[in-house]
Amino acid sequence: MPRPLWTGAISFGLVTIPVKVVSATQDHSIHFRQVHLEDMGRVRTKKVCELDGQALSQDEIGKGYELSKEQTVPITDEELDQMPLPTAKAIEIVAFVDAESIDPIRISDSYYLATDGQVAAKPYTLLRRALERSDKVAVAKFAWHNRERLGLLRVREGAIVLHSMRWPDEIRSPESLAPRKVELDEDEIERAVQLTDTMALDSIAGFRDTYRDALEELLTAKAEGKELPEPAEGSEGERGQVVDLMAALNASVAAAKESRGEDGGGEATVHEMRPAKKATPKKKTSAKKTTARKGSAKKTAATKKTSAGRKHTAGKRSAS
């Protein structure tokens, strides 16, 4: 486990549980440095005062709050430390709620809470058992870096996890982003539901960062002077392409079944839709075609009858 980020205690009613906070996640992203291309020397970032242009050391840098473009108020760490902050060394549980009532968009970073000494083992286990048996999660307040935060406590594989959460007023409303009202066919909705069923998984543990794998392969090849790997072919659709929604759903379901080794059935074609002309209903078109055929048949019959009549009259005249 990594070194603790914070030490304090969980306040659970009158129960105190000494804990250490350690990060529950780790960053596996590949990070690059800025370098001078001519000699690969490291490029450093200097902190420069915009008024006199001088580079500053960390000792010369403090905090300030900008009231306006013309006025900035300085604030010291000592003044911040003297601010009333009851949760400075405690994770204070304030409520228990159903897990489903927490919107995932509010959850931020995650941390494990480890017991700090043997004295914490029993109350730690007590809180864990209470959370498991009640099927609830705990909402708590805590403070890091001179700022009070909202947190969520839940159990994962026998350990208590602390999720830092955003305050309600920090979540923007998506109301203005909603698309305009559209009409959907019931068959399209049913096909979309079928696609979700086809793509359903019991776990997402098997997913990997394929971009990072390819990047590591590229960096290894460059470091060892080997031939660079061939770039993978991506499948990018044309921007602004309009597709037949039902055909796209059918193709997606077939592809999902094929990836699972199931019979995908007949192939569905996704095609580009051109601006539609004003179509005539099929029944009316059929009726017009039938009428036209009948009219043509009557005209042909009449022509034959007239022709036969002429021949008959001509025969009579010749005989006389």
Side-chain angles (χ1 to χ4, degrees):
M1 276 292 174
R3 63 182 181 83
L5 303 173
W6 181 89
T7 57
I10 300 175
S11 175
F12 176 34
L14 297 179
V15 178
T16 299
I17 311 170
V19 293
K20 296 180 291 186
V21 175
V22 295
S23 178
T25 61
Q26 49 188 332
D27 183 13
H28 283 167
S29 300
I30 294 175
H31 300 277
F32 299 100
R33 298 186 185 279
Q34 288 187 322
V35 295
H36 183 196
L37 292 176
E38 185 176 331
D39 54 16
M40 290 295 113
R42 177 87 179 271
V43 177
R44 301 282 181 176
T45 301
K46 291 185 177 181
K47 296 182 179 180
V48 179
C49 175
E50 66 177 20
L51 296 181
D52 57 24
Q54 293 186 0
L56 304 177
S57 65
Q58 190 59 42
D59 295 338
E60 299 175 284
I61 300 173
K63 295 183 177 70
Y65 180 76
E66 188 179 274
L67 293 175
S68 65
K69 293 294 182 182
E70 293 76 26
Q71 185 181 12
T72 300
V73 177
I75 186 87
T76 65
D77 290 336
E78 291 74 18
E79 290 171 329
L80 292 174
D81 290 338
Q82 293 173 5
M83 292 291 295
L85 202 57
T87 55
K89 294 298 288 182
I91 300 172
E92 181 184 349
I93 294 177
V94 294
F96 291 90
V97 299
D98 293 328
E100 292 77 13
S101 67
I102 302 296
D103 188 341
I105 198 172
R106 295 185 59 183
I107 296 178
S108 184
D109 297 324
S110 302
Y111 308 91
Y112 288 130
L113 300 182
T115 55
D116 191 5
Q118 186 57 35
V119 69
K122 188 171 182 177
Y124 185 100
T125 305
L126 175 66
L127 175 58
R128 188 192 70 199
R129 292 280 180 85
L131 290 171
E132 290 173 334
R133 188 167 297 184
S134 66
D135 288 329
K136 293 188 180 297
V137 293
V139 177
K141 286 184 176 183
F142 64 101
W144 286 358
H145 308 300
N146 295 311
R147 180 189 169 194
E148 190 167 59
R149 304 166 188 261
L150 196 63
L152 182 72
L153 300 181
R154 69 176 183 90
V155 178
R156 182 180 188 271
E157 298 178 8
I160 298 177
V161 183
L162 169 65
H163 298 288
S164 118
M165 292 202 305
R166 296 188 179 277
W167 296 95
D169 61 355
E170 292 180 317
I171 306 299
R172 293 190 178 101
S173 171
E175 185 178 357
S176 62
L177 305 177
R180 59 184 177 80
K181 188 176 180 181
V182 296
E183 292 185 5
L184 284 174
D185 188 272
E186 189 63 30
D187 291 339
E188 294 172 337
I189 300 174
E190 285 298 322
R191 200 59 170 164
V193 172
Q194 184 180 355
L195 178 58
T196 64
D197 293 337
T198 308
M199 296 179 66
L201 293 175
D202 295 328
S203 170
I204 59 171
F207 287 109
R208 284 185 58 83
D209 185 350
T210 54
Y211 174 79
R212 192 189 78 201
D213 292 342
L215 187 55
E216 287 178 346
E217 185 181 355
L218 172 66
L219 294 174
T220 301
K222 293 198 72 171
E224 297 176 356
K226 296 181 179 179
E227 186 177 348
L228 301 183
E230 290 291 329
E233 292 185 6
S235 57
E236 289 189 14
E238 296 179 14
R239 284 194 67 155
Q241 184 184 24
V242 181
V243 298
D244 184 328
L245 185 56
M246 196 62 181
L249 289 170
N250 288 335
S252 300
V253 171
K257 286 183 177 180
E258 185 179 350
S259 68
R260 289 169 173 253
E262 301 176 18
D263 182 14
E267 292 186 12
T269 304
V270 181
H271 56 84
E272 186 175 350
M273 292 179 66
R274 294 187 175 91
K277 296 179 180 179
K278 198 167 183 180
T280 308
K282 291 182 178 179
K283 289 184 179 179
K284 291 183 180 179
T285 303
S286 177
K288 284 183 178 179
K289 286 183 178 179
T290 305
T291 305
R293 286 173 185 167
K294 285 182 179 179
S296 178
K298 286 180 180 179
K299 187 176 180 180
T300 304
T303 303
K304 287 181 178 179
K305 192 173 180 181
T306 304
S307 177
R310 287 174 181 170
K311 287 181 180 180
H312 181 71
T313 304
K316 279 185 177 182
R317 287 176 182 172
S318 177
S320 60

